[in-house]
Coordinates of all heavy atoms in Angstrom, one line a residue:
I26 N 7.6 5.7 -2.3 CA 7.5 5.5 -0.9 C 6.7 4.3 -0.5 O 6.9 3.7 0.5 CB 6.8 6.7 -0.2 CG1 5.4 7.1 -0.8 CG2 7.7 8.0 -0.3 CD1 4.7 8.1 0.0
A27 N 5.8 3.8 -1.4 CA 5.1 2.6 -1.1 C 4.4 2.1 -2.4 O 4.1 2.8 -3.3 CB 4.0 2.8 0.0
A28 N 4.3 0.7 -2.5 CA 3.7 0.1 -3.6 C 3.0 -1.2 -3.2 O 3.3 -1.8 -2.2 CB 4.7 -0.1 -4.7
I29 N 2.0 -1.6 -4.0 CA 1.2 -2.8 -3.8 C 1.1 -3.6 -5.1 O 0.8 -3.0 -6.1 CB -0.1 -2.5 -3.1 CG1 -0.8 -3.8 -2.7 CG2 -1.0 -1.6 -4.0 CD1 -2.0 -3.5 -1.7
R30 N 1.3 -4.9 -5.0 CA 1.1 -5.7 -6.1 C -0.4 -6.2 -6.2 O -0.9 -6.7 -5.2 CB 2.0 -7.0 -6.0 CG 1.9 -7.9 -7.2 CD 2.7 -7.4 -8.4 NE 4.1 -7.5 -8.0 CZ 5.1 -7.0 -8.8 NH1 4.8 -6.3 -9.9 NH2 6.4 -7.1 -8.4
W31 N -1.0 -6.0 -7.3 CA -2.5 -6.2 -7.4 C -2.9 -7.6 -7.2 O -3.9 -7.9 -6.5 CB -3.0 -5.7 -8.8 CG -4.2 -4.9 -8.7 CD1 -5.4 -5.1 -9.3 CD2 -4.3 -3.6 -8.1 NE1 -6.3 -4.1 -9.1 CE2 -5.7 -3.2 -8.3 CE3 -3.5 -2.8 -7.3 CZ2 -6.1 -2.0 -7.8 CZ3 -4.0 -1.6 -6.8 CH2 -5.3 -1.2 -7.1
S32 N -2.1 -8.6 -7.7 CA -2.5 -10.0 -7.7 C -2.2 -10.7 -6.4 O -2.9 -11.7 -6.1 CB -1.8 -10.7 -8.8 OG -0.4 -10.7 -8.7
T33 N -1.3 -10.2 -5.6 CA -0.8 -10.9 -4.4 C -1.0 -10.0 -3.2 O -0.9 -10.6 -2.1 CB 0.6 -11.3 -4.5 OG1 1.5 -10.1 -4.6 CG2 0.9 -12.1 -5.8
D34 N -1.2 -8.7 -3.3 CA -1.3 -7.8 -2.2 C 0.1 -7.7 -1.5 O 0.2 -7.1 -0.3 CB -2.3 -8.2 -1.1 CG -3.7 -7.7 -1.6 OD1 -3.8 -6.8 -2.4 OD2 -4.7 -8.3 -1.0
N35 N 1.1 -8.1 -2.1 CA 2.5 -7.9 -1.5 C 2.7 -6.4 -1.6 O 2.3 -5.7 -2.5 CB 3.5 -8.6 -2.4 CG 3.6 -10.1 -2.1 OD1 2.9 -10.6 -1.2 ND2 4.4 -10.8 -3.0
T36 N 3.4 -5.9 -0.6 CA 3.6 -4.4 -0.5 C 5.1 -4.1 -0.3 O 5.9 -5.0 0.1 CB 2.9 -3.8 0.7 OG1 3.3 -4.5 2.0 CG2 1.4 -4.0 0.6
Y37 N 5.4 -2.9 -0.7 CA 6.8 -2.4 -0.5 C 6.6 -1.0 0.2 O 5.7 -0.3 0.0 CB 7.5 -2.1 -1.8 CG 8.6 -1.2 -1.8 CD1 9.9 -1.6 -1.4 CD2 8.5 0.1 -2.1 CE1 11.0 -0.7 -1.3 CE2 9.5 1.0 -2.0 CZ 10.8 0.6 -1.6 OH 11.8 1.4 -1.6
C38 N 7.6 -0.8 1.1 CA 7.6 0.5 1.8 C 9.0 1.0 1.9 O 9.9 0.2 2.3 CB 7.0 0.4 3.2 SG 6.6 1.9 4.0
A39 N 9.3 2.2 1.6 CA 10.6 2.8 1.6 C 11.1 2.9 3.1 O 10.3 3.1 4.0 CB 10.6 4.2 0.9
D40 N 12.4 2.8 3.2 CA 12.9 2.9 4.6 C 12.6 4.2 5.3 O 12.5 4.3 6.5 CB 14.5 2.7 4.5 CG 14.9 1.3 4.2 OD1 14.0 0.4 4.4 OD2 16.0 1.1 3.8
S41 N 12.5 5.3 4.5 CA 12.2 6.6 5.1 C 10.9 6.7 5.7 O 10.7 7.6 6.6 CB 12.4 7.7 4.0 OG 11.5 7.5 2.9
V42 N 9.9 5.8 5.4 CA 8.6 5.9 6.0 C 8.2 4.6 6.6 O 7.1 4.5 7.1 CB 7.6 6.3 4.9 CG1 7.9 7.7 4.4 CG2 7.5 5.3 3.8
K43 N 9.0 3.6 6.6 CA 8.7 2.3 7.1 C 8.3 2.4 8.6 O 9.1 3.0 9.3 CB 9.8 1.3 6.9 CG 9.4 -0.2 7.2 CD 10.6 -1.1 6.7 CE 10.8 -1.1 5.2 NZ 11.8 -2.0 4.8
G44 N 7.3 1.7 9.0 CA 6.8 1.8 10.3 C 5.8 2.9 10.6 O 5.2 2.9 11.7
R45 N 5.7 3.9 9.7 CA 4.8 5.0 9.9 C 3.7 5.0 8.8 O 2.6 5.4 9.1 CB 5.6 6.3 9.8 CG 6.6 6.5 11.0 CD 7.2 7.9 11.0 NE 7.9 8.2 9.7 CZ 7.6 9.2 8.9 NH1 6.5 10.0 9.2 NH2 8.3 9.4 7.8
F46 N 4.1 4.6 7.6 CA 3.1 4.6 6.5 C 2.7 3.2 6.2 O 3.5 2.3 6.2 CB 3.7 5.3 5.2 CG 4.0 6.7 5.3 CD1 3.9 7.4 6.5 CD2 4.4 7.4 4.2 CE1 4.1 8.8 6.6 CE2 4.6 8.8 4.3 CZ 4.5 9.5 5.5
T47 N 1.4 3.0 5.8 CA 0.9 1.7 5.4 C 0.1 1.9 4.1 O -0.8 2.8 4.0 CB 0.0 1.1 6.5 OG1 0.8 1.0 7.7 CG2 -0.4 -0.3 6.0
I48 N 0.3 1.0 3.1 CA -0.5 1.0 1.9 C -1.4 -0.1 1.9 O -1.1 -1.2 2.4 CB 0.4 1.0 0.6 CG1 -0.4 1.1 -0.6 CG2 1.2 -0.3 0.6 CD1 0.5 1.3 -1.9
S49 N -2.7 0.1 1.5 CA -3.7 -0.9 1.5 C -4.7 -0.7 0.3 O -4.7 0.4 -0.3 CB -4.4 -1.0 2.8 OG -5.1 0.2 3.1
R50 N -5.5 -1.7 0.0 CA -6.4 -1.6 -1.1 C -7.8 -2.1 -0.6 O -7.9 -3.0 0.2 CB -6.0 -2.5 -2.2 CG -6.8 -2.5 -3.5 CD -6.2 -3.4 -4.5 NE -6.3 -4.8 -4.1 CZ -5.7 -5.8 -4.8 NH1 -5.0 -5.5 -5.9 NH2 -5.7 -7.0 -4.3
D51 N -8.9 -1.5 -1.1 CA -10.2 -1.8 -0.6 C -10.7 -3.1 -1.4 O -10.1 -3.5 -2.3 CB -11.2 -0.7 -0.7 CG -11.5 -0.3 -2.2 OD1 -11.1 -1.0 -3.1 OD2 -12.3 0.6 -2.4
N52 N -11.8 -3.6 -0.9 CA -12.3 -4.9 -1.5 C -12.7 -4.7 -3.0 O -12.7 -5.7 -3.7 CB -13.5 -5.4 -0.7 CG -13.2 -5.8 0.7 OD1 -12.0 -6.3 0.9 ND2 -14.1 -5.8 1.6
A53 N -13.1 -3.6 -3.4 CA -13.5 -3.4 -4.8 C -12.3 -3.3 -5.7 O -12.5 -3.2 -6.9 CB -14.4 -2.1 -4.9
K54 N -11.2 -3.1 -5.1 CA -9.9 -3.0 -5.9 C -9.9 -1.8 -6.8 O -9.2 -1.9 -7.9 CB -9.7 -4.3 -6.7 CG -9.5 -5.6 -5.8 CD -9.2 -6.8 -6.7 CE -9.0 -8.0 -5.8 NZ -8.7 -9.2 -6.7
N55 N -10.6 -0.8 -6.4 CA -10.5 0.4 -7.2 C -10.0 1.6 -6.4 O -9.9 2.7 -7.0 CB -11.9 0.7 -7.8 CG -13.0 1.0 -6.8 OD1 -12.7 0.9 -5.6 ND2 -14.2 1.3 -7.2
T56 N -9.7 1.4 -5.2 CA -9.2 2.5 -4.3 C -8.0 2.0 -3.5 O -8.2 1.0 -2.8 CB -10.3 3.1 -3.4 OG1 -11.3 3.7 -4.2 CG2 -9.7 4.3 -2.6
V57 N -7.0 2.7 -3.5 CA -5.8 2.4 -2.7 C -5.6 3.5 -1.7 O -5.7 4.7 -2.0 CB -4.6 2.1 -3.5 CG1 -3.3 2.0 -2.7 CG2 -4.7 0.9 -4.3
Y58 N -5.2 3.2 -0.5 CA -5.0 4.1 0.6 C -3.6 4.2 1.0 O -2.9 3.2 1.0 CB -5.9 3.8 1.8 CG -7.4 3.7 1.5 CD1 -8.0 2.4 1.3 CD2 -8.2 4.8 1.3 CE1 -9.3 2.3 1.0 CE2 -9.5 4.7 1.0 CZ -10.1 3.4 0.9 OH -11.4 3.3 0.6
L59 N -3.2 5.3 1.5 CA -1.9 5.5 2.1 C -2.1 6.1 3.5 O -2.4 7.3 3.6 CB -0.9 6.4 1.3 CG 0.5 6.5 1.9 CD1 1.2 5.2 1.8 CD2 1.3 7.6 1.2
Q60 N -2.0 5.3 4.5 CA -2.2 5.7 5.9 C -0.9 6.2 6.4 O 0.1 5.5 6.4 CB -2.7 4.6 6.8 CG -2.9 5.0 8.2 CD -4.0 6.0 8.4 OE1 -5.1 5.9 7.9 NE2 -3.7 7.0 9.2
M61 N -0.8 7.5 6.8 CA 0.4 8.2 7.2 C 0.2 8.6 8.7 O -0.6 9.4 9.0 CB 0.7 9.4 6.3 CG 0.8 9.1 4.8 SD 1.3 10.5 3.9 CE -0.1 11.6 4.1

């Protein structure tokens, strides 16, 4: 449903959830969030 590239922060979001879900990463790069 969503993915993030570590080195670039590029993201992917599936069409089924696009516009509703957001993937992000914190500054420590050890936690990733999925906001739904």
Side-chain angles (χ1 to χ4, degrees):
I26 56 173
I29 185 167
R30 183 80 69 190
W31 228 240
S32 62
T33 65
D34 279 339
N35 287 350
T36 59
Y37 161 82
C38 192
D40 289 341
S41 59
V42 300
K43 189 173 297 182
R45 299 188 297 120
F46 291 10
T47 303
I48 187 171
S49 62
R50 185 180 64 189
D51 72 359
N52 291 333
K54 299 182 179 181
N55 62 358
T56 301
V57 171
Y58 305 100
L59 184 68
Q60 179 67 45
M61 305 185 294

